Amino acid sequence: MTTYRIRFRARSSEPLPADVAGRLTQAVGDMPSAESLEVAYSDLEAGTVESAFVIDVATDKMVDAARDGSRLAKESLWSAGIDAKLIELSVIRSGS
C-alpha cells in the first residue's frame, strides 16, 4: 500500500450556506476509506470550499490515487449537500 495526501478545492455557482465548512469536515471525516487531515475551509464570498484527506492505494501509481482521490472528494461534497465542482486537486505521495 502507498499513502497519498489529497487536497481539493471546489467552487459553487450558488451561494454557499454559512455552515458549509462544518458539513464538509463531517462528510470527509465520515468516509470509511480516507482519513481526514484537517477542518475544511470555506470562502463564502468566492463560493469555494476546500479540504484534505489521506488515502491508501494498493498500487504505487499516482494515477490511481488521483482517480480515487477525485471520486472521494466528489462523494464528500455530495454527502455534505454541496453542489460544487472540483477546480483543484492535489495528490502528494507520502514519503516512505
Side-chain angles (χ1 to χ4, degrees):
M1 288 288 209
T2 304
T3 302
Y4 288 88
R5 179 177 186 195
I6 310 296
R7 173 174 286 287
F8 69 94
R9 188 163 47 127
R11 178 175 290 131
S12 175
S13 58
E14 301 294 322
L16 293 170
D19 68 340
V20 69
R23 290 176 15 198
L24 184 56
T25 298
Q26 182 69 41
V28 171
D30 288 347
M31 288 190 300
S33 55
E35 179 186 336
S36 180
L37 286 177
E38 57 197 44
V39 174
Y41 170 79
S42 65
D43 181 339
L44 299 180
E45 288 184 28
T48 61
V49 292
E50 60 184 82
S51 189
F53 55 88
V54 172
I55 58 173
D56 290 323
V57 179
T59 66
D60 190 23
K61 296 181 182 175
M62 189 171 279
V63 68
D64 292 342
R67 180 199 62 226
D68 295 348
S70 174
R71 179 182 53 80
L72 290 170
K74 290 175 189 175
E75 285 180 16
S76 67
L77 290 166
W78 178 82
S79 178
I82 303 168
D83 184 17
K85 300 214 184 282
L86 288 180
I87 59 171
E88 186 176 330
L89 183 74
S90 170
V91 181
I92 300 172
R93 184 177 188 265
S94 293
S96 37

